Amino acid sequence: MEPSVALRPETLDAAAAHDGATPSPHTIADRLSAIRARMDEAAAQASRNPADVTLVAVSKFHPQASVRAAMQAGQHVFGENRVQEAAEKFPALRTDSPDMRLHLIGGLQTNKAREAVRLADMIESLDRPALADALDRAAQTQGRLPDLLVEVNTGDEPQKFGVPREQADALIRACRQRFGDRLRGLMCIPPAHEDPRPHFRLLRAMAHTHGLSVLSMGMSADFELAIAEGATLVRVGTAIFGPRPTPATTLAP
Ligand SMILES: *Cc1c(COP(=O)(O)O)cnc(C)c1O
């Protein structure tokens, strides 16, 4: 299932929303430096250190060439939301650029946990006990455990991934106990048609309660607001890589 966020038309960068053609390496480099400048400015406005906010370039549905162009422009952290797509795209990139980091940010099926543990440097979408079990088992077998974020469904939207608000504390505590410091923080995707700020604030308050330092929040349309509310990771796709082709055309079985 594709989280509804991927198709939110209002997240499309107006300048990028042309015909869906793959942007040139030059365009990607320009957009990246513009985003980095806006991030620095948002951090400065909030009296925060720009170095405390990391850009995750969300490359889902975009070709390996676009990822390479971003790498050549100095981008090292990437986000993908499907394990299969990440498995096809990233191992070769990692060989070329060993300091690359891959974040898995999409809803994760339990039966993909092993592959996710093998591929990811961070999994941002831990949202239920059964997935924690599966990740734990995979980590035991493979002797490797990525960093983890618990995804909170701050809007309690039925169609969305993320642990419901009222179950979040219990899941966070259980994951803390089980994964220790590998549980780094929290992630959220606010409802599409609402002011995201109350959701960002809620996530920050939860992280504070649990002594967690990483807050993954903010996308193309709202990353500056997220930085103002304390984001340490922003996940930006469209504003860097342009509009995504629809899943229906890219994900034929
Ligand atoms: C696709 C996606 C993003 C990036 O969204 P844009 O609006 O293109 O910046 C961020 N987070 C998650 C979880 C996503 O699936």
Side-chain angles (χ1 to χ4, degrees), residues 172-232:
I172 294 166
R173 272 196 300 273
C175 289
R176 204 10 152 359
Q177 217 162 28
R178 179 171 216 166
F179 299 116
D181 288 346
R182 280 309 163 118
L183 178 67
R184 305 286 312 281
L186 306 179
M187 184 270 248
C188 76
I189 308 171
H193 302 290
E194 279 179 31
D195 180 353
R197 284 172 293 189
H199 298 273
F200 296 157
R201 285 175 201 146
L202 174 66
L203 200 71
R204 181 178 57 185
M206 280 185 175
H208 182 77
T209 301
H210 290 277
L212 295 167
S213 60
V214 175
L215 276 177
S216 175
M217 54 193 201
M219 309 188 294
S220 290
D222 56 15
F223 66 87
E224 286 145 315
L225 294 176
I227 290 169
E229 301 298 340
T232 65

Side-chain angles (χ1 to χ4, degrees), residues 5 11 58 60 81 105 189 219-220 235-238 244:
V5 61
T11 65
V58 178
K60 65 186 184 206
N81 73 343
I105 61 175
I189 308 171
M219 309 188 294
S220 290
R235 309 177 308 269
V236 177
T238 311
R244 288 179 282 276

Side-chain angles (χ1 to χ4, degrees), residues 22-39:
T22 301
S24 74
H26 185 70
T27 305
I28 288 174
D30 284 351
R31 288 184 187 154
L32 269 170
S33 61
I35 298 282
R36 290 193 195 113
R38 287 170 59 190
M39 288 174 60

Side-chain angles (χ1 to χ4, degrees), residues 110-164:
T110 309
N111 64 8
K112 300 274 169 57
R114 282 175 53 191
E115 185 81 342
V117 164
R118 191 172 68 76
L119 285 169
D121 299 291
M122 180 181 277
I123 296 172
E124 299 198 13
S125 47
L126 173 49
D127 63 357
R128 58 197 192 279
L131 182 57
D133 290 344
L135 292 172
D136 200 6
R137 276 196 304 273
Q140 306 283 348
T141 330
Q142 299 180 37
R144 141 178 240 281
L145 178 62
D147 287 333
L148 301 169
L149 304 183
V150 165
E151 177 177 355
V152 182
N153 186 354
T154 57
D156 280 338
E157 296 173 280
Q159 81 283 12
K160 281 254 181 94
F161 294 108
V163 61

